[in-house]
Structure formats: structure tokens, C-alpha cells
Amino acid sequence: MTVNASAVPAPQGPSGGSGRIRRQGARSGRRPDSHNGMAAMLLTPTGIILLALVIVPILFLIFTSFTDFNQRSLFTGEFNVAGVKQYATVLGDSTFWMALLRTFLFTAALVVGSMLIGMAVAQMMTKLGTVMRYLVTFVLIFAWAMPNVASSVVWNWLFQPGYGVINWLLTRLRIFGDLSNLAWSNTTTLAFVCIWMLVVWQAVPYIAITLYAATMQLDPSSLEAAQLDGAGPIRTYWQIVVPLISPSIMVIGMLSIIWDFNVFNQIWLVSQGGPSGSTSTIGVFTYKKAFINFDIAQGAAISVITVIILLALTSVYVRNLLKSGEDL
């Protein structure tokens, strides 16, 4: 017996299947447009801020680096297009390369120091009781929330010759002799040590809290299995915990490289790049070129080169992140 499909009535009414399918299809057809409109509306303020505070200044910076913009240009608005002259001058300046090398070495010391201390503090927090852990967290957040300018000023007071607390404590230890009048910023090594401690002290709270949060999300069974196999605390941490939280470590490490590469306030407020420019990193070197010597175009060229270096470093991280995602 043959049944004519067209003769079979389709279900109608509020509970009818075809009506429900049509309504669902209509609703699903409208959802992407409404979602896209909502997303665009939510992103518009951020896009305007990025355009005004990031994209436009960077474009103006790039344009300025191809001119002879200087102090005269600030008052008259007159400047000439110089092509790649500023880049040639910068790349041929030995002081630029010394500042760049100094920046790479100091950034490496800052990143390694802050990461290791931050990882140690994060692991210590997992062993503390509730009250002590909350107290440590409060202290870390308080230290991290302090503006780096205020922290740098206080740091100068601590290391001030004559009445600084650090010099007084070191003198009281009677190990290095009388250090009451020691001026840390007048010696290259001591100035770098002072700035290193300041920057690391400011960076450790963020690293410690973030890694502590990542560590607390781990499955305890993997740690228990390692302990049953006879692994000690140090071996368990480096062979089990660190590989499991490596995505968080990579993100924090990349951010630390970018932040530490651009350190300026702490260096300028502690030593102003001295003595004799021996603590001038690329940020301080650029500031002196643009706003002390008023060679603004050359300062812009140095800034563009710095941006390119940071983009290259960031691309390495993004490449590794995409590669790890493909492996998963």
C-alpha cells in the first residue's frame, strides 16, 4: 500500500512539531545578529580607548621617527622629513647598544629573581594555615598595590646615606664595617642591586598569588602518587607541580619580560641612570634623548625599535602557545 506523504497533515498548534521547528529556526537565525550587536556595543568603549591612547600615539610615534622633530618643533610646529636618518644614527651609536645590552641583562636578572622568589612564596603559601595564609596574602596585595613611584621614594629613604635604615642595620651587623654614609646610587653594582631588590619586591606579590591560585587547582592525587613513589617535596614540586602549572608560568614570565624590559620609574628615581650613565637601561636612555636633550625624533626612533624587540619576544610566546594548543 502506498501512502501519499503530502496527504499526511503536519502537526499544528502550540505543541506542533513543525511550528516549534520554525520558531526555533527563526530564533536561532536572530541570535547571531543580536549577539554580534551586543558584543560590538560592549567592545566599543574599549576600542575607542585603545584607538585614542594606544594606536594613534604609536602611529604618531612612527611618523615622528622619520622626521627631525626637536625642541624647535614643539614651539613652531615646523619639522622636516628625514627618512631613516634617525634610525641610522641610533644604530650607529655605541651608547645605544650598551644601553640595550644592559637592559637585556638586567631584565634577565629581574625575571629570574622575581619568578624564583614568587614560586617559592606560592609554594610556601600552600603549607600555611588559614590565618597565616590570609595574613601573607594581605601583605602581598598591600605591597603590590603600592604605586611604584611611592615605593621608589620610600626605597630611597631606606638606603639614604647618613640616616638610612639599611645602612644602619648593615653597620650594626659589624660585618662590612661602618656603612652609615654609603651612597648606593654612586656605585654601579650597588645601584643595580638596590634597584633589583626594589623591582623584585614589587613583582613577587603578583607572581606568588597567581601561581598559588594555579597550584591550588591541581588534582591532589597526582601529588599523592608522587609521594607514594618516594619523591621528596623538592622533586615533587619540580617534576609534578611545575609542569602542571607551566601555562601560568609562561604567561607570567612573558608579562614579566615586558614589564621589566620597560622599567623606568624605579631606575630614574633611585639613580637617574648614574653614575655616569652606567645604570641607564633603554627606557632611561630614551627619556634622556627625548626629554633632556630634546632630540625627540631620535627618541621616537629608539621607542619604535623597542616596540619591535618586544613584539619579537611576544611572538615567540604566542608561537609556543599556539604550538601547545595544536599538540593538545
Side-chain angles (χ1 to χ4, degrees), residues 118-119 122 206-216 245 248-249 252:
M119 293 167 68
Y206 170 77
I207 298 173
I209 294 175
T210 304
L211 293 182
Y212 167 74
T215 303
M216 296 305 294
I245 64 174
S248 299
I249 294 176
I252 296 172

Side-chain angles (χ1 to χ4, degrees), residues 1 39 59 136-137 165 181 203 239 245 259-260 277 291 293 298 314-315 324:
M1 179 178 178
L59 293 177
V136 172
T137 303
V165 175
N181 296 317
Q239 295 188 359
I245 64 174
W259 292 336
D260 294 339
F291 300 108
N293 299 334
Q298 196 169 132
T314 306
S315 66
S324 61

Side-chain angles (χ1 to χ4, degrees), residues 127-252:
K127 309 298 182 183
L128 298 177
T130 303
V131 176
M132 186 58 67
R133 186 169 62 251
Y134 278 118
L135 179 61
V136 172
T137 303
F138 172 78
V139 172
L140 291 174
I141 293 176
F142 181 78
W144 180 64
M146 287 188 64
N148 54 39
V149 173
S151 301
S152 301
V153 172
V154 173
W155 212 257
N156 273 332
W157 292 344
L158 292 175
F159 289 86
Q160 188 73 21
Y163 56 84
V165 175
I166 301 300
N167 289 352
W168 178 81
L169 288 175
L170 292 175
T171 301
R172 297 286 293 180
L173 290 176
R174 302 181 185 278
I175 297 176
F176 306 102
D178 186 5
L179 301 179
S180 301
N181 296 317
L182 175 64
W184 290 66
S185 60
N186 290 341
T187 305
T188 302
T189 303
L190 294 180
F192 268 126
V193 170
C194 182
I195 298 168
W196 181 89
M197 290 189 291
L198 172 60
V199 177
V200 168
W201 175 75
Q202 294 171 334
V204 162
Y206 170 77
I207 298 173
I209 294 175
T210 304
L211 293 182
Y212 167 74
T215 303
M216 296 305 294
Q217 302 302 315
L218 299 180
D219 186 2
S221 61
S222 58
L223 304 179
E224 295 173 357
Q227 294 173 357
L228 291 176
D229 289 340
I234 298 178
R235 185 177 178 185
T236 300
Y237 179 74
W238 287 105
Q239 295 188 359
I240 304 297
V241 176
V242 171
L244 292 177
I245 64 174
S246 58
S248 299
I249 294 176
M250 289 181 62
V251 172
I252 296 172

